[in-house]
Amino acid sequence: MTRATLDKQPHEVAAMFDDVAAKYDLTNDVISLGQARLWRKAVARAVDARPGQKVLDLAAGTGTSSLPFAMDGAYVVPCDFSLGMLREGKKRNPWLPLTAGDATKLPFADGVFDAVTISFGLRNVQETDTALRELLRVTKPGGRVVICEFSQPTWGPFRTVYSEYLMRALPPIARTVCSNPDAYVYLAESIREWPDQPALAARLQKAGWSKVAWRDLTGGVVALHRGFKPQD
């Protein structure tokens, strides 16, 4: 699977992530030039997990993104549809309640979580709008969503340079640290296909989230979108 389309096949995406699970976190740090760790910190601040709260971390992969929420005292459920990622995460942090689940049909009851979040995973869901509605369903009234996803740089010249980096430099860099560089060709192309900041905000609102807003990180390379589930 080396070409991105909006008609993603879940089993193909899951198999791709199974294949890169062992070195996924390392590869992300390298190809993001160290920015990935800063983005994770920004997500943790935006989610603002509190002791005793329940947090769903969707597309959690190995669970690295879930650790800050646990450190803040929340009960975090890392959920992913890649069994390879979950197995790798279980080796590293066996105490995490890693859970297999599909974003379009989450294995949780209505209104369970105080906060739901997904980082760099919404792009890879076959039915984005269904996933946004599912996140809304499992969130408590008044609860919040935080989506961290690659987006569109806001400054034209930088956007051009960034696009060139994605397609020309990223695969060779990935090849030095990853056994399946073609996976990163797919990821690069999926970033270019993804809606920009206003378009994603509109989809959140259409799914039923209120008070939707976003904040750009690294000049718009990444955007944090946040919304709230309306009170009953």
Side-chain angles (χ1 to χ4, degrees):
M1 181 185 201
T2 59
R3 291 294 178 264
T5 70
L6 298 181
D7 184 25
K8 310 171 190 71
Q9 297 303 311
H11 67 280
E12 293 181 346
V13 178
M16 179 186 70
F17 281 104
D18 289 348
D19 195 39
V20 300
K23 293 186 177 181
Y24 183 71
D25 294 321
L26 170 63
T27 306
N28 283 349
D29 281 340
V30 172
I31 65 176
S32 71
L33 307 179
Q35 292 295 298
R37 298 185 184 192
L38 299 178
W39 297 335
R40 282 196 292 271
K41 290 180 180 178
V43 170
R45 289 194 297 269
V47 171
D48 192 25
R50 307 291 177 86
Q53 290 188 335
K54 294 183 177 69
V55 176
L56 172 63
D57 186 14
L58 189 57
T62 62
T64 299
S65 59
S66 303
L67 296 177
F69 310 129
M71 292 175 64
D72 287 336
Y75 179 77
V76 59
V77 178
C79 182
D80 202 283
F81 73 157
S82 166
L83 296 181
M85 286 285 196
L86 295 173
R87 290 190 192 100
E88 185 65 27
K90 205 66 178 176
K91 293 177 188 176
R92 301 180 191 181
N93 297 290
W95 54 274
L96 281 172
L98 293 145
T99 303
D102 184 335
T104 63
K105 192 181 294 184
L106 292 172
F108 308 108
D110 296 354
V112 172
F113 297 99
D114 298 281
V116 295
T117 184
I118 179 170
S119 293
F120 308 113
L122 194 59
R123 250 181 19 267
N124 301 312
V125 177
Q126 186 179 33
E127 298 173 12
T128 303
D129 296 327
T130 301
L132 293 176
R133 291 193 296 270
E134 271 291 272
L135 285 171
L136 185 75
R137 179 184 66 78
V138 302
T139 304
K140 295 178 181 178
R144 56 208 182 276
V145 63
V146 173
I147 296 171
C148 180
E149 189 52 88
F150 289 108
S151 198
Q152 298 296 323
T154 53
W155 187 46
F158 177 50
R159 185 163 56 246
T160 301
V161 171
Y162 173 65
S163 181
E164 287 295 309
Y165 168 73
L166 279 177
M167 300 314 301
R168 295 176 184 270
L170 189 150
I173 293 173
R175 192 172 292 116
T176 66
V177 290
C178 173
S179 60
N180 184 10
D182 282 346
Y184 287 86
V185 175
Y186 162 78
L187 291 174
E189 293 195 341
S190 71
I191 291 169
R192 296 208 306 184
E193 292 286 334
W194 187 244
D196 63 12
Q197 294 89 322
L200 181 55
R203 293 176 83 159
L204 275 160
Q205 291 170 332
K206 183 179 178 182
W209 294 96
S210 66
K211 302 178 182 176
V212 174
W214 75 84
R215 179 165 65 92
D216 291 326
L217 304 176
T218 317
V221 168
V222 165
L224 284 183
H225 283 72
R226 184 161 59 179
F228 294 87
K229 182 171 182 175
Q231 297 279 1
D232 290 343

